[in-house]
Amino acid sequence: VRPFFTVQAVVSTQSTGSEVTVENFFRVLTDRLPEGTPRSKRLMSDENSNILVYLTGHGGDGFLKFQDTEEMNAMELADVFQQMHEKKRYNELLFMIDTCQAGSMVLPIKSPNIIGVGSSTVGQDSLSHHGDHEIGVYVIDRWTYYTLDYLEKVRPNSQAKLKELFRVYSTADIRSTPQYSNLNLFTSRPVDKILITDFFGSVRQTVLYGEGSVEDAPLREGSVEEALRRLSVDGSDDKLILVPENLDFVSQLPF
C-alpha cells in the first residue's frame, strides 16, 4: 500500500508514512488503541456509522502489501470486520480494494451489512491507467481512475445510487472483472437503494458548539442537549448557526 490510508465514518481518520502498518490499520478499525490516542487518530464510529474502507496497492492471492515490508492477510481482514460487527463499530460498511487478485480479499468477508468490491477476480491482474513520463512510473490504476472520474461528477446532494458507480466498471475500460462480496449478507436495506453519498462526500448535519445561547431550537433529549443549548439559531429557516469562538466537536451526534 502506498504510505497512506483513509478510513471514513462520521469523521476522517488518516495515517501516513511509517504509521501505516497492518497492526495500526487493524487497531484503528477495532479501536484497540493505547490510552491517550488523540481523536484524530481514532475511528469514532458506532452502530449508527456508515464506514468507507478504500485500499489500493500491490497484492496477490489472499494478501495486500503494506510498505513492501509486510502483508495483510485476507482472512485476518475478514476477522477484523467481524470484530467490528460484534463491537457495534458500524451500521453499514463499504469495502473497496484495487489490487491484483482483489477478489481474494473480498470473498472471505462473512459479516453482515458489508458490501465488498474488488478490482479483479482471483487469478487476474489489476492494470495501471497512465504514467508520469518525468518520474517514469505509473501514477494511478485503471479501476481507481474510473472510480474517481465518476465520483468527481457527483454532487453532495446527489440521489445517484451506488449501483450506478458499479456500472462504470466495464471490463473494456478497467481490463479486469470486478469481484463482489456475498450481497445476501447485506440485510439492513435493499442494495439498490443505497446512495453513493451514504459513503462518499455527503453533507452531514455536524454540530459544533461554543459561546452563545438558544431558546427555541428543537432539541432531542440526550447527552448533547447541553451543547445544543449553546448554539445560535436563525429563526427564518430554523438552521443552526455555528458560533466561531471556542469551537469543539460534539462527539455523540443525535442522528
Side-chain angles (χ1 to χ4, degrees):
V1 166
R2 297 171 180 83
F4 177 89
F5 68 73
T6 296
V7 181
Q8 291 186 337
V10 174
V11 294
S12 176
T13 301
Q14 296 185 351
S15 295
T16 60
S18 61
E19 293 179 327
V20 183
T21 65
V22 175
E23 179 182 2
N24 285 346
F25 179 59
F26 287 167
R27 285 183 177 276
V28 167
L29 292 177
T30 58
D31 201 33
R32 292 180 175 175
L33 295 165
E35 184 177 352
T37 300
R39 295 172 63 92
S40 61
K41 300 296 183 181
R42 307 184 82 105
L43 180 62
M44 307 297 292
S45 66
D46 58 26
E47 68 272 17
N48 299 310
S49 302
N50 281 9
I51 295 178
L52 166 67
V53 178
Y54 194 109
L55 298 174
T56 179
H58 295 294
D61 190 358
F63 70 90
L64 179 73
K65 285 187 177 182
F66 270 55
Q67 306 279 27
D68 287 330
T69 59
E70 59 176 339
E71 297 174 355
M72 180 178 69
N73 181 276
M75 298 306 298
E76 292 175 341
L77 179 62
D79 181 65
V80 165
F81 285 154
Q82 180 61 28
Q83 291 180 47
M84 293 179 70
H85 167 64
E86 294 171 356
K87 297 175 69 173
K88 298 182 178 181
R89 296 276 292 156
Y90 69 88
N91 170 48
E92 297 170 348
L93 190 149
L94 175 60
F95 171 52
M96 305 180 73
I97 179 167
D98 187 0
T99 187
C100 293
Q101 307 195 64
S104 64
M105 301 295 293
V106 168
L107 292 175
I109 298 171
K110 305 300 182 186
S111 304
N113 298 326
I114 295 179
I115 295 178
V117 54
S119 58
S120 55
T121 60
V122 177
Q124 279 187 330
D125 291 334
S126 291
L127 303 179
S128 299
H129 186 270
H130 64 270
D132 186 317
H133 296 293
E134 292 186 2
I135 61 177
V137 298
Y138 286 98
V139 294
I140 191 169
D141 296 322
R142 302 190 72 85
W143 193 71
T144 294
Y145 175 87
Y146 286 104
T147 298
L148 291 175
D149 183 63
Y150 180 84
L151 291 176
E152 286 172 351
K153 302 168 188 174
V154 176
R155 304 292 297 174
N157 59 352
S158 171
Q159 295 300 301
K161 304 296 194 295
L162 189 62
K163 63 181 181 181
E164 297 171 30
L165 170 61
F166 292 163
R167 291 195 186 112
V168 172
Y169 302 141
S170 71
T171 55
D173 288 330
I174 67 173
R175 300 181 187 175
S176 58
T177 304
Q179 176 72 63
Y180 299 90
S181 60
N182 184 357
L183 298 183
N184 291 326
L185 297 174
F186 195 93
T187 59
S188 61
R189 54 177 164 160
V191 174
D192 61 359
K193 302 296 183 183
I194 300 173
L195 299 179
I196 290 175
T197 53
D198 288 340
F199 294 97
F200 289 95
S202 63
V203 177
R204 295 185 177 272
Q205 180 189 356
T206 303
V207 179
L208 303 176
Y209 68 92
E211 300 298 326
S213 63
V214 62
E215 298 294 336
D216 300 321
L219 300 178
R220 288 189 182 185
E221 295 183 0
S223 61
V224 299
E225 187 174 6
E226 290 300 317
L228 288 172
R229 286 203 180 100
R230 302 178 188 178
L231 292 168
S232 297
V233 174
D234 179 354
S236 61
D237 58 5
D238 203 36
K239 290 183 179 179
L240 300 177
I241 303 299
L242 306 183
V243 182
E245 297 180 356
N246 303 320
L247 296 181
D248 290 304
F249 179 73
V250 179
S251 60
Q252 300 297 323
L253 304 180
F255 50 84

